[in-house]
Amino acid sequence: MTLHEIANKILPMNKIGITFHVSPDGDAAGSVLSLYQALKKIGKEAYMISKDTISYNLSFLPFSNELNGECVSPKEDSDCVIILDCGNKERISADLEGFKGTIINIDHHLSNDLYGDLNFIDVTASATAEIVYSLINLLNAEMDSDIAKCLYTALVTDTGSFRHSNATPTTHNIASELLKFDINHSDIHSNIFDNKPFEKLKLIGYVLGNTELIYEGKLAVMEITKDTVSRLNIVLDDSSDIISQGLQIRGVEGAVLFREVEDGVKVSLRSKKYLNVNKVASVFGGGGHIRASGITMKNISLNEAKNLVLNQIKEEI
Ligand SMILES: [Mn+2]
């Protein structure tokens, strides 16, 4: 199904819920907030569904205060729910049990399992926001600075400020169009990146201090135990800025971060040039992109998780 066809399906609809993946990042939040505003502009009864609240460094985004975790399922008589930036059903930040309307899945994850009634997946898009940008145009909704701010933030976060290999000429063209709408890109970067609690920096310092290099220096192995988190007295939401530090090491191809959580271990994987971390993650039921993926491992110890995942990476690196 083309995006044009998706737009034509949406146009006659009126009551539309929009949601994203759990623990929303800048792309998830920026995509949902921009489509929400655009749908309202063309007269739709749009609303956002989220079990999550938005992280502090994204709270500058217009209407992010409406993502307060109160609306967790579709409102009565909704025509459809549009799910943005979410690769699988289990990760949707909404309770869709018993929902009778149309489920529209719009995403850029390679590992997307096509759970929607209508699916549009473009793995060449650096961010779901690239697709949302096109969708907003197809819906004939007028761009403005608030929408542009949300979309630009999404592009910046998913491309690591336009430096990851996923950033394409299209990405830059869209960014260029968005910058015409009186948005301050420098302020946006500061809000996203120069906005960490002091404890987070201390945690990064601790994690880096204990990072190991294995496989002839090609893999950086990092870990965060529950003990470390409680000792540093930190509420840890997003850890993508921690693992990205691992890739900064000369000669490193990949980085892996093991994080002990209540019911198991969360694993983040990143790579620079050739290591297919989506392939590694998929072995354990995880996934994402070729250069950035994640796994949630339940009922497993930190050491068991490390053994399994590091052995699998050994095959690929
Ligand atoms: Mn994304």
Side-chain angles (χ1 to χ4, degrees), residues 31-86:
S31 293
V32 162
L33 289 164
S34 54
L35 185 60
Y36 168 64
Q37 294 172 72
L39 287 174
K40 283 205 302 186
K41 275 192 140 181
I42 57 168
K44 303 297 178 192
E45 203 180 318
Y47 62 94
M48 299 182 286
I49 312 172
S50 175
K51 294 182 191 173
D52 299 81
T53 54
I54 223 73
S55 67
Y56 180 79
N57 68 337
L58 296 171
S59 60
F60 72 99
L61 292 174
F63 299 98
S64 60
N65 61 322
E66 292 185 24
L67 290 166
N68 52 18
E70 282 172 20
C71 179
V72 299
S73 55
K75 293 182 179 175
E76 215 176 317
D77 301 325
S78 292
D79 297 302
C80 77
V81 171
I82 303 175
I83 300 149
L84 300 174
D85 199 40
C86 181

Side-chain angles (χ1 to χ4, degrees), residues 27 85 108-109 128 158:
D27 185 27
D85 199 40
H108 69 137
H109 288 89
T128 297
D158 261 26

